Amino acid sequence: MNNHDRRQEALRVRIAAAELAAARPHPRHIANTDEQRFRRPRQDDPSKNEPSYLMSFTKGLPHEPKTGLVARSADFQQFVKAIDSGDPQDFRDTPLGPPPGTTPQNPHWGSDKANDLPFPLPDGSKVARVRAWESQGAGNTFDLEGPDAQAETMPPAPPLGSDELTAEMAEVYAQALLRDMPFTLIKKVLTDEEQLQRSALPRKIQAVDTVAILEALERLPWFADPSTAGLTDAEASRKRPLDDQTFFRGITPGDDVGPYISQFMLVGNGGINGNDDINTPDDGLITYGAVTINQRVRFAKPLEDHMTNWAEWLDVQNGADLRGQESYRTRSPYRFIATPRDLATYVHYDALYEAYLNACLLMLGMGVPFDPDIPFQNPDAIDRQQGFAHFGGPHILSLVTEVATRALKAVRFQKFNVHRRLRPEGLGGRLSQFDQLRGPAPELAEMVEGNADFKIILDMIAARNGDATGTDANYLLPMAFCEGSPMHPAYGAGHATVAGACVTILKAFFDHAYTLDKAYVPLPDGSELQERSDVPPLTVEGELNKLASNISIGRNWAGVHYFTDYIESIRMGEQIAIGILEEQKLTYGENFSMTVPLFDGDSIRI
C-alpha cells in the first residue's frame, strides 16, 4: 500500500469510527422533580414563592445560617447559568460563600476549626481558604473517541419522600456508625472466634450496636418488601434483600461471594521474572517493573469524624476548605484494608485509575490468561507473533487508564447539567433542621417521625454527635473527610463511573471465568492477610465486579455518596467502555472478538 492509499484508508477508518459513534442514540436526560418542587416565600415579595433548592447541591454558595438553605435563589440560578454556558466568566460571577462581611480572599468563618486549623496551611496560615467548584464545564467538552459525554444518561435519582431515598440515607448513616468496625464483624451472627475478635476492639467501637443497626435497616420498607409493583425498571433493578452476606455490598455478579474486599485490593504477586519468588500473595506487594506497590493503606485515626456540629457543617457548605486536616497513626502507620475507614482513606486519595491499574498488573503478573478470542494466545511456535503493542501487556495497561477521563466527562454532565443532586451531608443538614423546614418540605418531618426503624438509626447518630462534640445532639452525618464531599453534586459518582469503565475494559481483555487459586482476608487489625479455605471459588469477573463496588461504595462509607450513585454510575461507565472498544475494533486488521460480561449479569460480544 503506497502512502496515498494508506492515508485514504486511515481516513476511512476514522470516518467509520465517527459514524459508529454518531449512530448511537442520544437519550433524553431526565432528572427527578425535586429541584423545583420545594418552594419558599420570596425575599422581595413574601406573597409569592420561589424554589428553595432544598434538595439540590448548593455547596459553595452562601447559605442561611439557621436553615442551611441557599441564602438567595438568584445565586443558584447564576450557578446553573454558568454550568449551562461553560463560560469561565459566568463562574467568576457566581457567589462563593464565606459568611457576610468577608470575602473569598479574606474569609472569617463561624467554627473554631475553620478559623484555627489543626494543621496550618503551607504558607503558615491557620484560617481555611475558600474552595472552588470542580470541573463544572467538563460535560460540555467533546471527545474524539468513544461515546460523546452527553450520549449516555442515568435515570432520575430517588426523590425526597420515596422509600428508596429513606433507605439510602439510613444506609449511609449506618455506614457512618460502623466506620471503625472490621468488615469481618459487620454481621448479625458471629462465630466464637469472631466474638473474641470483637471483644479485643477498643471499647467505643465495641459499644456500637451492630445488630440493632442491621436489623433496623432490614425492616425499612425498601428492603423488607420484595415487591417491585409500581416501580420503574431502574428502581426495580436496584431492589435488593439484606442479610449477613449482602449488607453494604454491591449488586453485581460476584459481589456477595467471599470476603467483602476484592482480592485485587489485598494480595500481591511474585517478583520480576519466573525465578524471582521474593514475594508471595499475602505480602500484598504488586510488581510494578523493578519496584513494588504496597497494598497497605495509611491508618487513619479511628473514631475521628467531622462536620458533626452545626457551625462546622455550615462553614463547609459555605465553601470552607478543610482538606488535609484529618489525623493518622504514626505507629504502625500502614495496614491492609480491614475497616470501612481504611477503605474510605483509600478512595480519598487514590489516583483516578489506581485500583484498576493495580488489578491489571496483578493479573499480568499472576499469568491470568486473556479472553480466548483475543489474538496471539497460541504457543509462539504456532502464532510466530506475541502480543505487545497490540493484544499484549502495554495495550491493556494503557487502555484501562485511557477510558477514565471519558467516564469523568460523561458523569460531570450528569452531575452538573442534569441532576444536581444534594450530597448526603446536605441531606443530613436538612434532617437536622426538619422542624424549621416543615413548611417547605413536610417530607423531611415524615422521614424523621414516620418510620420507627429510621428513627432508631437517627437516635444513634444524635447520641454519637452529642457525645463527640459536647453540644446538643443532631442528625448531621458524621463524615470521614474533614472537608466532607467534593465540590460537585452527588449523582452520578465520578469514582463509580470510572470504576465501571475501567473494570469493563479488564473484563473484556482477561478470561473472566478464570478462578483465583486462593482467597485472603485481613485480620481485624489489618496487620496481615489470612488465607481462607472456607470461601467459594472466586472468579476474575466476580472479583473485578467487587473491586468496582468496593471503590464506589467506599465513597458511601466516607459519607459522600448514596447507593444509587454507585450502581447507576458503574452502569454508565460500562457503556462508555463498550463504545470505546467498539470503535477501536475498527482499527485492527486481525479478526477477533471479545465477550464482555455486564454488571446486570448479561454479556455482550464485540
Side-chain angles (χ1 to χ4, degrees), residues 78 165 173-174 333 501:
Q78 172 62 34
L165 180 59
Y173 274 131

Side-chain angles (χ1 to χ4, degrees), residues 56-71:
S56 297
F57 176 84
T58 58
K59 187 171 182 175
L61 297 170
H63 291 77
E64 293 177 350
K66 289 187 177 180
T67 65
L69 297 180
V70 65

Side-chain angles (χ1 to χ4, degrees), residues 82 191 210 304 332 422 516:
T191 65
T210 304
E304 183 180 86
S332 301
L422 184 70
L516 304 183

